Amino acid sequence: MEDEALLERILGGDHDAFRDLVERYQMSLVRLARYYVKSEASAEDVAQDTWIAVMQGLERFEGRSSFKTWLFRIAANRARKTGTREYRVVTVDPVDPVSSARFNEGGMWNEAPVPFTELINDKLANAGVLEACRNAIRDLPEPQQSVVTLRDVEGLSTREVSDLLELSEANTRVLLHRGRAKIRETLEETLTGGRSWQ
Amino acid sequence: MAMTRDITCHQAVALVSDYLEGALARRDRRRLERHLADCGACSAYLDQMRATIALSGSVGPEDLSNEAVARLVDVFEKYHRENSGESPN
Ligand SMILES: [Zn+2]
C-alpha cells in the first residue's frame, strides 16, 4: 500500500496502518539520525520523537513533498538538535575510484573489467551478492555511508541528500562517487572471485 | 587503438559516477561518451557502476525487531487515545 493511503487510515486511528509505516521507515530513520548523534540509543530516541511529531503534524501534511521526504526532514532536524557531530567541514579530495595499479603508464586498463549485469543475474550468486553489497555499504565510513544510503538505497535526489546531511551538492556527489567505487570494488571481488589483476 | 581519445581510461572512470548523476559539464560528458564509444573496458566499468547502484537500490532496510515496533505502536495508541477522546479502531 502506498504511503498516502496508509496516512489516511492512520488519521482515523488505525494502528495496523501505523505499524506498517513504522516497519517501512523506522530503520531508515534510526540510520539517518545516527549521522548526527553519537549512540544507537539516542538515534532510536530521535526516531521515536519523529513518529510523535508525525502524529502531531499529519493533519497539516499537505503532500507538497513526498511523505518520505517530509518524514526524513523531521528526523534530520530533530537529530541535528540532539546531535553533536559535524561533517560539514569534510575536506573532499580528488577521487580516484579505481586503484592506479589497474592502469598502465598510458592510463589504459591492464586488464579489462568484466560487466556485472550478467553475473548478478545468475540466480545462484544473487543472495551472496546482495549480502556483500549490504555489508559493503555498512562498512563505508561516514559521511559516505549516509550519502550512499540516502541516494542509492532510499532513492532520494542528490539535492535532498545534501539538505538532509548539510553537505554541499558538490561534496555529496564526490562522497557518493567514492562510496559507490568502494562497493563496486567489493562486488568485483565477490563476483569475479579474486583479484587476478593484482 | 584509436588515437582520437582525449581522455585515458584512468581519467574516464573518474567521471562515471557524475555521468550517471547527470552532473557532468557538457564538455566532460562529450569526452566521456566519445571514450566509451570505442572503449569496451570502460563500457564494462560503466555497466559495473550501473549494476552496483541498482543492487544498492534492492538492499532494503534492515530487519526491525518486533519489540521495537510494538513499543512504537503503543506510543501511537496512547497518543491517539489522548487526542481523539475515543479508543482507536
Ligand atoms: Zn577506457
Side-chain angles (χ1 to χ4, degrees), chain A residues 109, chain B residues 5 8-9 12 35 39 41-42:
Chain A
W109 293 92
Chain B
R5 290 179 184 173
T8 65
C9 297
H35 183 98
C39 181
C42 285

Side-chain angles (χ1 to χ4, degrees), chain B residues 34-54:
Chain B
R34 266 202 304 273
H35 183 98
L36 289 168
D38 79 341
C39 181
C42 285
S43 299
Y45 180 84
L46 178 68
D47 172 89
Q48 290 190 342
M49 218 33 154
R50 282 207 172 106
T52 298
I53 295 164

Side-chain angles (χ1 to χ4, degrees), chain A residues 15 114 116-117 158 177 184, chain B residues 10 14 21 47-48 59 77:
Chain A
H15 55 233
V114 181
F116 282 171
T117 308
T158 305
H177 186 181
R184 187 209 65 85
Chain B
H10 200 170
E21 290 295 290
D47 172 89
Q48 290 190 342
V59 159
E77 287 177 355

Side-chain angles (χ1 to χ4, degrees), chain A residues 40 47 55 58 70 72 74 81 84 88 91 117 132 146 151-152 178 181-182 186:
Chain A
E40 195 70 12
M55 292 174 219
L58 199 52
W70 183 68
F72 281 23
I74 294 172
K81 278 180 203 148
T84 49
R88 260 168 295 180
T91 52
T117 308
S146 288
R151 177 75 186 100
D152 289 343
R178 202 169 298 165
K182 279 188 202 150
T186 304

Side-chain angles (χ1 to χ4, degrees), chain A residues 33-95:
Chain A
R34 201 72 178 75
Y35 174 80
Y36 286 106
V37 306
K38 279 181 173 160
S39 72
E40 195 70 12
S42 13
E44 283 169 13
D45 289 345
V46 167
Q48 177 162 328
D49 290 348
T50 301
W51 289 114
I52 291 169
V54 166
M55 292 174 219
Q56 289 166 344
L58 199 52
E59 286 178 48
R60 293 189 304 277
F61 171 63
E62 290 169 336
R64 266 183 302 211
S65 61
S66 71
F67 171 73
K68 183 172 178 174
T69 301
W70 183 68
L71 177 70
F72 281 23
R73 208 175 287 149
I74 294 172
N77 285 336
R78 303 211 147 235
R80 220 172 269 146
K81 278 180 203 148
T82 315
T84 49
R85 284 202 190 179
E86 284 283 349
Y87 289 112
R88 260 168 295 180
V89 291
V90 287
T91 52
V92 175
D93 311 320
V95 182

